[in-house]
Amino acid sequence: NAGVMQNPRHLVRRRGQEARLRCSPMKGHSHVYWYRQLPEEGLKFMVYLQKENIIDESGMPKERFSAEFPKEGPSILRIQQVVRGDSAAYFCASSPDRSPNSPLHFGNGTRLTVT
Amino acid sequence: QKEVEQDPGPLSVPEGAIVSLNCTYSNSAFQYFMWYRQYSRKGPELLMYTYSSGNKEDGRFTAQVDKSSKYISLFIRDSQPSDSATYLCAMKNSGGSNYKLTFGKGTLLTVNP
């Protein structure tokens, strides 16, 4: 039973390039969450998606960041025109439903480095 | 004041010691409390999950929630070197955004053999 799969594990981008982070939830899970972990900071909520819908993107910067979870395929977190401050670990989590009793299962993250 | 405060440590203990980790919080709407363990370069792994106040025990781990003091704890008995990791507390409310976890910064624990 595969867990949450994220790729790539490491991503290096130059300033101004685009970064695409992918997340495949656990089997049977249709709810996906993205969190960002900056150095010396805790995990911060970015966005919550269900299949084909963005439910809450309140934690995501308004500019340059976007997320999707299409009917087929993984969820994508896209960062356009990356800046050094975007360097962080980005974690995806999934759950079978949005019940508060449903625990979130996290992937091992994508570590983005902007040079 | 941050919503969730957690001493980052680091905390270093000998093998077999009892470890006490804790968090305080300011948002009285938090009803669900979790502890995650995160090994280096890995994702957080859920250890304990508690609803409202009270204690919960699972093997060597005990989680306590004191809502009146806005204080949660995780105790690890007979600590092992394999327990060396960062421990994150997390919480969420019971309202409309009950899917959103608010994390502490994490406490780095090292258990020395």
Side-chain angles (χ1 to χ4, degrees), chain B residues 52-68:
Chain B
S52 195
S53 284
N55 294 358
K56 186 173 183 179
E57 188 173 322
D58 185 1
R60 297 184 294 111
F61 298 90
T62 299
Q64 289 184 351
V65 175
D66 181 349
K67 289 189 66 185
S68 62

Side-chain angles (χ1 to χ4, degrees), chain A residues 20 33 47 98-99 111:
Chain A
R20 281 187 180 233
Y33 315 80
V47 61
R98 65 168 286 170
S99 164
R111 278 153 186 85

Side-chain angles (χ1 to χ4, degrees), chain B residues 75-104:
Chain B
F75 297 96
I76 308 174
R77 288 183 299 280
D78 187 25
S79 55
Q80 304 294 309
S82 58
D83 295 328
S84 298
T86 297
Y87 289 79
L88 306 164
C89 63
M91 28 200 100
K92 54 184 175 179
N93 62 36
S94 58
S97 59
N98 58 12
Y99 47 81
K100 191 184 297 187
L101 288 175
T102 301
F103 282 88

Side-chain angles (χ1 to χ4, degrees), chain A residues 43-76:
Chain A
L43 285 146
K44 304 288 186 191
F45 170 82
M46 297 182 74
V47 61
Y48 164 36
L49 310 104
Q50 294 180 35
K51 284 282 188 182
E52 301 184 274
N53 288 303
I54 297 174
I55 306 302
D56 182 352
E57 55 184 349
S58 60
M60 201 159 63
K62 295 284 188 289
E63 298 185 358
R64 303 187 298 108
F65 285 72
S66 63
E68 63 176 10
F69 188 16
K71 187 176 180 181
E72 301 291 337
S75 174
I76 306 286

